[in-house]
Amino acid sequence: MKSLLIVFFACILAGPLTSLGQSTGKIAGKVTLIDGEPFVSASVYLIEIKRGTLTDDHGNYSFNNVAEGTYTIRIQVLGAAQKDIKVTVVGGQTVTANYQLNKENIQALQEVNIATTTNKFSKKESIYIARLPLKNLENPQVYNSIPKELIQEQMAVDLASISKNVPGAGVPMIANQGRVTFRSRGFETEPNARNGVAGAAFSSIDPANLERVEAIKGPSATLFGNSVSSSYGGLYNRVTKKPYTDFGGEVNYFGGSWDFNRLTVDLNTPVNADKTALFRLNGATSFEKSFQDQGFTNSLSLAPSFSYQITDRLSLLLDVEFGQAKGTSVVRFNPFIRTPTAEMTALTRSIADLQFPYNKTFLSNDLPYQTQMVNIFAQINYKISEKWTSQTVISRARSSINGYISALRGTSDSQIAPQIISGYTTFIATDLQQNFIGDFKIANLRNRLVVGLDYYNNSNAFDRVTVNMPNVNFINTPATYRISRFKVDSIASVTPIRNLRKETNGDDTYSVYASDVINITDRLLAMLSLRVNNYKYNGVYNITTGVTAGGIGVGGVQVGPYKQTSLSQKLGLVYELSKDRISLFGNYMNGFVNNSGIIADGSAIKPEHANQMEFGVKGDVLNHMLVGTISYYDIRVENMLRTDPNDVNYSVQDGTRLSRGLEVELTANPFAGFNVIAGYAYNDSKLTKARPEEDGLRPGLSGPPHTFNLWMSYRFPEGNLKGLGVGFGGNAGSWSYHTNTVLTKITIPSYTMLDASIFYDQPKYRIGFKVDNLTSEKTWSVRLTPQAPARFIGNVALKF
């Protein structure tokens, strides 16, 4: 009887529960680009019940438990008209609402990383290069992009290793506190941009959170400002990983030579059920000893990222980059430069012949530096209309250095006087940008226009002492010789050789810029860009004296806080010989550097500036199997300062410099599984009006005239060995100058450094092994820092 009652009540309840379950349904669909590729992270909004979501990596979206009725699905993407689709939900069923964009959307190509097996090393589309929806073939500027696929395959664990793939980068220069710089077109170039805005870091930068690195070539102050792009060779832009709509991640362990240990984590998850709020965390920690007799580095990096689709038109992206490191300075050798006399003749010496020890630092491990970096980045995008988008960007970067950094200063052909800087330094940069981006027609001509306002503040503080240690013979140094903390601190207390720097300084920059790309025809495009830059130097506050001084002129003449206004142009023409396949381009671009002080007649010093003329060809042919750029450039620098020949206490501002050359970059996927990236750079630099001892000569520290880079890899695309791959490549450079004057020439030998790897990549794990500098080639950076011999690295990754 009891069993019958249970059955009876179950039957009664089942009817209403079934009806309740069938009173709701599901809406699902897929959003694709015009070529059928999935549109990732498109905003999909259910208007009547105010629910939103984002498409996943396959372009799919869904709304569950939707009550029966008629609804409007609104699909909203930047650079396209909104699309409303009417659907009717029936209980217990799934209604499908797919949508394919009816025209090409370049912003979508730039925002989204589309997975492809064709030419995986070529990721050229970027929202940052032109600040406009321009494809590579439409852009008159040259740039190289190093994607995470190549970084992963090469097991590159630092920015220096990543830069090997950039034509003309040369041997990276590591500064005393771990900061890395590169050569570009004969000029020193730094990775000061992060997601297209200021992100300077005066410390080591961990690549764990990088989606790609973009090497933007030539003077680029028009769109980026001279605070970010102060080098006439260009700038490096670090593009960070962004959250996506699925749960997933990866844990990596690396181990190798000199006690190298590295652990990284990449974790991504949706925060809410509708997947409009997303979170991603990248982190890394590394430890490595130097290959030399002393030295180490130990670092930690955390990089959380949060994105939120607030409404169908409004989105927020928030990134934080935190890093701290402790380590010892790398060797920085400044050879002895003879004082010119009438009887002297020119002397050329190679660093390889100076008998400076390759494996010795002269320092102790108890003289470390400590750095900390915090970069905060926020971006708000609002779709005003089909034709206009508002972009608001806030960036705050802070770096600090505490401890000991060093240089080895040559005092004769066989002696050095080690120089130690001890103390605390901070660098703080704030960047506020407001951009309005439009895509519209005037007189039936398509215009793609960005108009922007930019405020940049720079603030620095120094509280440190410079200690000059006694001379030591670097050729016959006693084996037990070490510069210890005890020695430095003891000498630092002796007033006569103590150089104290306690000061703060800062500046403000206000800019407005505009860049318009006009389609004169379907294949002919013109770029017209201009920046108006107002720079205000706020002076130097001396903590010891309590006095604030403005810019200090040559000869110690103090002038008040000053302002400088500069104009910077960027002009370009592109003609596509074959639509979306081959284009010819030319550009005329500008960069500038603000200078302070006065010249002998009392007039103010003007900004230094450079103009680049460049032309070349870009190609993307054979269904993306071959992508490349060939260009010739000519950069002319004017208003450089040089010593006044009539009064050595002042300078004259008539110095000039020429830098011209050829660059070639190719990425290819000739057949399934085989990928190649290759580059060549030739640079001819010359000081055309300078001090008599340098006039007409190639500047020191400008890098090798010829450099080559190559990386080839093959991965089995199918069969039992699917996922197994090998890679091989290297870098080569001709000899170059550290110092180049009429009487003293110190050269760096040519080099060829080869690398090789083997890896096995599967959906749930990856195993790899790599050797850098296979032949243990001896070479030096432009600061005469010895480079490591063969380094072995193993890697194991778990993916989920």
Side-chain angles (χ1 to χ4, degrees):
M1 183 66 181
K2 185 177 180 180
S3 300
L4 290 174
L5 286 173
I6 294 173
V7 173
F8 174 74
F9 283 111
C11 291
I12 293 175
L13 293 172
L17 289 174
T18 303
S19 298
L20 180 63
Q22 292 180 345
S23 65
T24 63
K26 179 180 179 180
I27 303 173
K30 185 173 185 176
V31 181
T32 55
L33 301 172
I34 190 172
D35 59 0
E37 293 287 349
F39 195 139
V40 182
S41 297
S43 171
V44 184
Y45 203 68
L46 196 53
I47 294 177
E48 285 75 9
I49 59 175
K50 297 181 180 180
R51 284 177 59 185
T53 188
L54 298 172
T55 55
D56 63 17
D57 287 348
H58 305 287
N60 298 318
Y61 72 91
S62 65
F63 294 99
N64 298 316
N65 301 319
V66 181
E68 291 184 334
T70 300
Y71 296 90
T72 304
I73 295 291
R74 175 165 291 172
I75 299 172
Q76 196 83 261
V77 297
L78 297 178
Q82 70 181 30
K83 177 65 176 179
D84 291 345
I85 304 173
K86 290 289 186 181
V87 296
T88 299
V89 176
V90 178
Q93 297 182 19
T94 298
V95 60
T96 301
N98 296 329
Y99 176 61
Q100 184 174 23
L101 272 67
N102 57 14
K103 64 178 183 179
E104 184 179 58
N105 187 296
I106 300 171
Q107 281 184 269
L109 292 173
Q110 294 174 332
E111 295 268 10
V112 174
N113 293 300
I114 299 174
T116 176
T117 56
T118 304
N119 208 350
K120 63 181 181 179
F121 295 159
S122 180
K123 305 285 185 179
K124 281 289 191 179
E125 309 310 332
S126 171
I127 61 175
Y128 305 109
I129 309 298
R131 300 191 187 275
L132 282 171
L134 282 185
K135 293 185 294 185
N136 174 44
L137 293 185
E138 296 177 319
N139 195 331
Q141 188 165 10
V142 174
Y143 58 95
N144 315 118
S145 183
I146 312 303
K148 67 177 184 296
E149 290 82 2
L150 181 56
I151 296 172
Q152 180 187 86
E153 184 174 288
Q154 293 183 341
M155 289 185 279
V157 294
D158 49 51
L159 280 179
S161 300
I162 295 172
S163 71
K164 291 180 179 181
N165 302 288
V166 177
V171 176
M173 188 201 78
I174 308 296
N176 288 333
Q177 68 277 24
R179 181 169 57 97
V180 62
T181 65
F182 319 98
R183 304 302 103 182
S184 182
R185 301 189 170 182
F187 300 92
E188 181 177 354
T189 307
E190 301 187 39
N192 280 343
R194 183 175 184 268
N195 295 327
V197 297
F202 292 88
S203 60
S204 61
I205 300 173
D206 198 288
N209 69 325
L210 293 184
E211 183 71 31
R212 65 182 180 273
V213 173
E214 297 172 341
I216 305 171
K217 298 301 186 72
S220 302
T222 309
L223 292 180
F224 293 96
N226 72 322
S227 302
V228 176
S229 178
S230 59
S231 169
Y232 304 136
L235 71 147
Y236 278 66
N237 180 41
R238 309 176 334 257
V239 180
T240 59
K241 296 175 181 176
K242 308 299 189 298
Y244 53 94
T245 56
D246 294 324
F247 176 80
E250 186 172 306
V251 176
N252 271 276
Y253 171 74
F254 299 82
S257 304
W258 310 299
D259 288 344
F260 179 66
N261 284 275
R262 176 174 170 83
L263 182 67
T264 69
V265 62
D266 182 356
L267 175 65
N268 186 90
T269 183
V271 176
N272 59 359
D274 290 329
K275 299 183 179 181
T276 54
L278 310 171
F279 177 78
R280 189 170 186 174
L281 175 66
N282 282 273
T285 181
S286 298
F287 175 83
E288 183 178 21
K289 293 181 180 178
S290 170
F291 73 92
Q292 296 172 306
D293 59 348
Q294 295 281 290
F296 71 94
T297 56
N298 190 358
S299 64
L300 172 69
S301 172
L302 294 173
S305 180
F306 174 75
S307 69
Y308 184 33
Q309 188 72 35
I310 303 171
T311 70
D312 60 329
R313 291 177 176 268
L314 181 64
S315 65
L316 167 69
L317 174 66
L318 178 64
D319 278 339
V320 177
E321 190 176 44
F322 170 82
Q324 63 181 22
K326 181 178 181 180
T328 52
S329 293
V330 298
V331 169
R332 178 186 176 184
F333 177 43
N334 299 319
F336 173 66
I337 306 299
R338 299 177 298 165
T339 302
T341 63
E343 296 79 19
M344 293 177 64
T345 58
L347 176 63
T348 300
R349 296 174 294 170
S350 168
I351 178 62
D353 300 327
L354 291 181
Q355 302 185 61
F356 188 84
Y358 198 83
N359 295 313
K360 191 174 183 64
T361 66
F362 298 92
L363 305 173
S364 298
N365 284 344
D366 65 352
L367 286 172
Y369 62 82
Q370 292 179 306
T371 62
Q372 187 180 89
M373 172 193 69
V374 179
N375 288 340
I376 301 173
F377 174 90
Q379 178 176 312
I380 301 172
N381 290 327
Y382 181 71
K383 183 179 178 182
I384 302 172
S385 67
E386 174 186 347
K387 301 183 184 301
W388 286 96
T389 299
S390 168
Q391 180 190 76
T392 305
V393 179
I394 303 171
S395 176
R396 175 84 164 177
R398 179 187 183 277
S399 297
S400 65
I401 308 167
N402 190 22
Y404 302 85
I405 56 178
S406 64
L408 303 177
R409 181 172 54 90
T411 55
S412 74
D413 290 339
S414 61
Q415 289 191 322
I416 54 173
Q419 191 174 71
I420 311 297
I421 298 176
S422 174
Y424 185 72
T425 308
T426 59
F427 305 90
I428 301 176
T430 303
D431 196 0
L432 306 178
Q433 284 187 11
Q434 175 60 54
N435 297 310
F436 295 98
I437 304 167
D439 190 341
F440 54 90
K441 287 188 176 181
I442 297 178
N444 209 34
L445 297 178
R446 184 185 182 188
N447 286 256
R448 280 168 282 183
L449 172 69
V450 58
V451 178
L453 301 172
D454 190 2
Y455 167 71
Y456 182 85
N457 171 266
N458 178 61
S459 177
N460 308 315
F462 301 87
D463 185 358
R464 61 194 197 186
V465 58
T466 300
V467 179
N468 295 310
M469 305 296 292
N471 285 358
V472 62
N473 188 305
F474 63 76
I475 298 176
N476 298 308
T477 311
T480 58
Y481 177 84
R482 290 284 182 276
I483 302 171
S484 66
R485 177 182 294 189
F486 175 77
K487 292 179 181 179
V488 173
D489 292 345
S490 297
I491 296 178
S493 63
V494 181
T495 303
I497 58 172
R498 191 167 182 260
N499 180 14
L500 184 65
R501 183 181 184 187
K502 295 172 74 69
E503 65 183 39
T504 62
N505 62 65
D507 53 74
D508 296 285
T509 303
Y510 305 85
S511 304
V512 59
Y513 52 87
S515 181
D516 191 12
V517 175
I518 305 170
N519 276 82
I520 301 172
T521 70
D522 185 45
R523 296 188 179 186
L524 179 62
L525 297 86
M527 173 181 281
L528 306 172
S529 311
L530 181 67
R531 184 184 195 95
V532 180
N533 195 89
N534 181 260
Y535 174 81
K536 178 185 177 184
Y537 185 57
N538 298 322
V540 178
Y541 173 69
N542 189 308
I543 299 172
T544 304
T545 63
V547 176
T548 299
I552 299 177
V554 178
V557 179
Q558 293 188 352
V559 297
Y562 68 94
K563 296 181 180 180
Q564 290 181 337
T565 299
S566 304
L567 297 178
S568 179
Q569 85 287 336
K570 180 180 180 181
L571 309 175
L573 278 176
V574 175
Y575 180 71
E576 297 188 61
L577 292 175
S578 178
K579 183 65 177 175
D580 295 329
R581 290 180 177 83
I582 299 175
S583 67
L584 301 177
F585 68 90
N587 65 58
Y588 182 65
M589 306 195 306
N590 175 268
F592 59 93
V593 174
N594 294 104
N595 290 312
S596 66
I598 59 174
I599 57 179
D601 64 4
S603 59
I605 289 175
K606 301 175 183 179
E608 178 185 292
H609 62 86
N611 290 303
Q612 171 184 277
M613 183 76 73
E614 182 176 23
F615 57 88
V617 59
K618 295 183 179 182
D620 189 337
V621 298
L622 303 176
N623 193 26
H624 202 56
M625 293 172 65
L626 179 62
V627 180
T629 303
I630 303 174
S631 69
Y632 172 82
Y633 61 86
D634 185 297
I635 302 173
R636 297 175 184 265
V637 186
E638 297 180 347
N639 282 359
M640 295 177 66
L641 295 173
R642 67 187 183 95
T643 303
D644 189 334
N646 300 316
D647 189 340
V648 295
N649 294 313
Y650 288 91
S651 291
V652 292
Q653 196 172 17
D654 61 355
T656 58
R657 176 176 173 177
L658 172 66
S659 179
R660 55 191 175 191
L662 175 74
E663 288 184 346
V664 180
E665 182 204 28
L666 295 173
T667 60
N669 178 217
F671 54 87
F674 184 57
N675 288 273
V676 179
I677 181 169
Y680 166 72
Y682 167 70
N683 174 258
D684 176 24
S685 287
K686 183 184 298 184
L687 293 168
T688 49
K689 193 169 187 180
R691 297 180 303 168
E693 59 266 32
E694 296 177 321
D695 195 37
L697 301 179
R698 182 179 180 88
L701 310 182
S702 56
H706 300 272
T707 59
F708 306 83
N709 64 279
L710 172 68
W711 181 258
M712 304 178 293
S713 71
Y714 178 73
R715 177 193 301 220
F716 288 93
E718 56 187 4
N720 295 332
L721 297 178
K722 183 178 180 180
L724 178 64
V726 294
F728 178 78
N731 296 77
S734 56
W735 65 271
S736 60
Y737 288 108
H738 171 273
T739 303
N740 187 20
T741 68
V742 172
L743 295 175
T744 304
K745 301 177 186 295
I746 298 174
T747 64
I748 302 172
S750 61
Y751 63 91
T752 300
M753 303 176 73
L754 303 176
D755 307 327
S757 71
I758 183 170
F759 54 90
Y760 186 56
D761 195 359
Q762 293 297 303
K764 295 296 183 181
Y765 64 92
R766 182 176 62 254
I767 302 172
F769 180 76
K770 186 186 181 186
V771 184
D772 290 318
N773 195 6
L774 273 166
T775 62
S776 292
E777 177 90 343
K778 282 189 175 183
T779 190
W780 294 259
S781 72
V782 292
R783 271 194 174 181
L784 302 185
T785 302
Q787 303 300 293
R791 179 171 74 164
F792 301 86
I793 297 178
N795 167 234
V796 177
L798 299 178
K799 297 181 276 187
F800 53 91

